[in-house]
């Protein structure tokens, strides 16, 4: 596997993964429609690594453009990040989510098949576990979803399973991410949400910077250590390295596999806020409000399988996640837009 096509490579997780792949000597081709990203991230990837990649601005639903890319480049494997990811938004825009995440993936798979490229890593999500799975959540827990976003991930997992059943020349790794946060240590690459953040970490850093007034903690009466929701936050650089481990696993007849990418450790909303307060040295205002509909109390990963089979484990702790997220936020208060 030498040349990798990274869909959604200009986005948060894709860009950090490009850095790790270039550092390991892979040739990269990125396709992104830039709907939710800024092409400056691609320049930063090249600055950090001192290596170049080829970029095509295209939509994965556009099979003509994809075919042209596969004609021009001899792609060995695809890491497929491109998609829409805002859980709440998916309930009001289900058709956009099914079109982008499901139809877009089917188009990509059709083009891959036409060009004989049958090596794929897919960005799935811990959201496929729904609210029933006991913690730590293992890969064989029953799946159940609560939102259109989660259902797009579940449907694509099923499509990939059917595809593999029909043709075992495919080599597929499905990675279920827990809660990716943090930023590259340089402080020049990070999460760049448009408008008010939906996720906790960017919300906390924007409050800490004074861009937002306080953190609204969604629920203080869960059955958890301090009443607030517990999640498995994972440093985005660790997550990116999980993809390098997965690429190394893809080889002829390696089959279809699924792995959790998390740390195996749960932290509450208040613990994350307190860790960030330690890092920046000032209090972060917050208020406990009603639960957010659809949220679950506790989610963290069983990482036994991924450690055993991919030889990968997360290295960075919550403190490091906060330090790196804060460095990115202070060095780039307006993200890539400045
Ligand atoms: P992101 O929005 O930062 O990156 C996604 C990228 O895909 C963006 O650059 C966007 O412009 C591009 N894109 C979207 N639709 C496209 C299309 N039709 N054609 C081409 N490009 C398109 O998101 P991210 O956080 O980097 O997430 C990457 C993947 O990981 C997504 O599939 C997401 O569902 C999944 N995931 C993310 C999280 C998370 O919390 N960030 C958790 C679990 C799974
Ligand atoms: N939270 C707050 N206030 C906020 C934002 C979040 O209290 O302003 C709380 C939530 O209630 C939850 C925790 O912080 O307890 C984490 O919430 P996030 O929105 O950061 O993340 P989620 O766990 O809801 O979802 C994330 C991604 C999904 C992905 C899922 C599992 O957004 O795409 O992790 O991987 F599917």
């Amino acid at each position: 596997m030498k040349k990798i096509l990274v869909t959604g490579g200009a986005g948060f997780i894709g860009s950090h993964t490009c850095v790790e792949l270039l550092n390991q000597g892979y040739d990269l081709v990125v396709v992104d429609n830039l709907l939710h990203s800024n092409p400056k991230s691609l320049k930063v990837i090249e600055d950090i690594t001192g290596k170049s990649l080829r970029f095509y601005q295209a939509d994965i639903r556009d099979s003509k453009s994809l075919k042209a890319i596969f004609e021009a480049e001899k792609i060995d494997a695809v890491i497929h990040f491109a998609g829409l990811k805002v859980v709440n938004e998916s309930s009001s825009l289900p058709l956009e989510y099914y079109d982008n995440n499901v139809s877009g993936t089917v188009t990509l798979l059709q083009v891959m098949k036409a060009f004989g490229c049958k090596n794929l890593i897919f960005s799935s999500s811990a959201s496929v576990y729904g609210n029933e799975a006991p913690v730590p959540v293992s890969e064989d827990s029953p799946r159940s979803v609560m939102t259109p976003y989660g259902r797009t991930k579940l449907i694509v997992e099923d499509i990939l399973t059917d595809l593999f059943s029909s043709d075992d020349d495919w080599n597929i790794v499905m990675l279920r991410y827990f809660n990716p946060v943090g930023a590259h240590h340089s402080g020049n690459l990070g999460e760049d949400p448009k408008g008010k953040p939906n996720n906790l970490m960017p919300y906390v850093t924007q409050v800490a910077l004074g861009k937002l007034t306080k953190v609204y903690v969604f629920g203080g009466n869960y059955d958890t250590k301090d009443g607030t929701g517990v999640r498995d936050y994972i440093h985005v650089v660790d997550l990116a390295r999980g993809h390098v481990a997965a690429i190394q696993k893809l080889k002829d007849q390696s089959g279809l596999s699924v792995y959790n990418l998390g740390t195996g450790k749960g932290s509450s909303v208040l613990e994350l806020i307190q860790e960030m307060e330690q890092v920046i040295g000032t209090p972060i205002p917050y208020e406990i409000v009603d639960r957010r509909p659809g949220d679950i109390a506790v989610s963290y990963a069983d990482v036994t399988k991924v450690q055993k089979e991919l030889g990968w484990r997360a290295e960075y702790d919550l403190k490091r996640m906060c330090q790196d997220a804060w460095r990115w936020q202070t060095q780039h208060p307006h993200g890539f837009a400045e």
Side-chain angles (χ1 to χ4, degrees):
M1 307 290 163
K2 185 75 183 112
K3 196 186 272 190
I4 318 259
L5 176 70
V6 183
T7 77
F12 174 45
I13 304 171
S15 59
H16 288 81
T17 303
C18 286
V19 168
E20 299 306 314
L21 289 166
L22 286 172
N23 282 341
Q24 294 299 317
Y26 291 97
D27 284 347
L28 296 191
V29 177
V30 167
V31 54
D32 199 302
N33 64 3
L34 302 180
L35 183 69
H36 286 298
S37 50
N38 188 309
K40 282 185 198 160
S41 65
L42 299 168
K43 170 82 175 58
V44 175
I45 294 167
E46 295 188 328
D47 289 346
I48 288 173
T49 59
K51 295 181 179 168
S52 59
L53 53 77
R54 274 175 310 295
F55 173 57
Y56 295 87
Q57 184 172 352
D59 195 296
I60 55 159
R61 292 165 293 181
D62 172 4
S63 67
K64 213 169 142 214
S65 296
L66 281 187
K67 282 178 187 159
I69 296 167
F70 275 81
E71 295 271 354
E73 313 276 354
K74 208 202 144 309
I75 305 292
D76 296 311
V78 175
I79 307 185
H80 178 33
F81 295 103
L84 304 179
K85 66 160 183 179
V86 183
V87 178
N88 287 347
E89 182 188 65
S90 74
S91 297
S92 47
L93 299 174
L95 296 181
E96 281 79 353
Y97 274 71
Y98 288 116
D99 184 36
N100 217 307
N101 295 6
V102 180
S103 304
T105 303
V106 171
T107 303
L108 173 69
L109 293 169
Q110 285 167 334
V111 175
M112 288 176 69
K113 185 178 170 198
F115 283 82
C117 174
K118 296 185 177 179
N119 299 307
L120 177 76
I121 292 175
F122 171 62
S123 300
S124 190
S125 164
S127 56
V128 300
Y129 293 123
N131 57 0
E132 305 279 294
V135 288
V137 188
S138 73
E139 288 84 348
D140 52 15
S141 304
R143 298 172 309 157
S144 102
V145 289
M146 294 177 295
T147 61
Y149 168 76
R151 195 161 294 109
T152 66
K153 295 296 179 188
L154 188 143
I155 291 171
V156 171
E157 286 194 356
D158 287 348
I159 290 171
L160 294 175
T161 305
D162 288 343
L163 180 63
F164 178 72
S165 302
S166 74
D167 176 1
D168 66 6
D169 281 349
W170 281 87
N171 303 300
I172 298 171
V173 178
M174 307 191 288
L175 298 174
R176 294 179 181 153
Y177 312 152
F178 279 69
N179 287 61
V181 297
H184 189 265
H185 190 62
S186 63
N188 292 328
L189 195 59
E191 191 170 7
D192 187 16
K194 291 201 170 117
K196 209 184 261 191
N198 294 290
N199 296 117
L200 181 64
M201 180 67 97
Y203 208 103
V204 167
T205 55
Q206 292 200 14
V207 170
L209 199 66
K211 285 177 78 174
L212 296 169
T213 47
K214 59 180 158 184
V215 182
Y216 295 97
V217 176
F218 299 142
N221 57 357
Y222 284 110
D223 183 15
T224 59
K225 45 191 147 186
D226 58 22
T228 67
V230 168
R231 295 291 182 277
D232 187 341
Y233 298 97
I234 173 168
H235 197 297
V236 66
V237 171
D238 274 328
L239 192 79
R241 290 177 182 155
H243 293 73
V244 176
I247 274 284
Q248 287 161 355
K249 152 118 190 169
L250 279 185
K251 37 177 109 66
D252 280 354
Q253 303 298 311
S254 58
L256 172 103
S257 359
V258 56
Y259 298 106
N260 287 337
L261 290 185
T263 62
K265 187 174 178 297
S267 304
S268 73
V269 175
L270 292 183
E271 283 174 335
L272 187 147
I273 293 173
Q274 281 153 11
E275 193 66 61
M276 187 61 86
E277 287 176 334
Q278 295 282 324
V279 165
I280 67 173
T282 53
I284 295 173
Y286 70 84
E287 180 187 342
I288 296 186
V289 296
D290 287 346
R291 293 179 179 190
R292 185 170 61 179
D295 271 354
I296 57 175
V298 181
S299 168
Y300 55 91
D302 182 335
V303 288
T304 316
K305 184 180 175 200
V306 68
Q307 285 179 4
K308 187 161 162 249
E309 294 186 15
L310 294 190
W312 169 91
R313 70 168 68 220
E315 287 173 17
Y316 298 131
D317 61 10
L318 190 62
K319 180 176 183 193
R320 175 67 184 262
M321 298 178 215
C322 290
Q323 287 170 328
D324 288 342
W326 181 237
R327 188 177 304 105
W328 156 251
Q329 183 70 79
T330 46
Q331 287 183 198
H332 299 275
H334 307 291
F336 292 109
E338 59 207 326

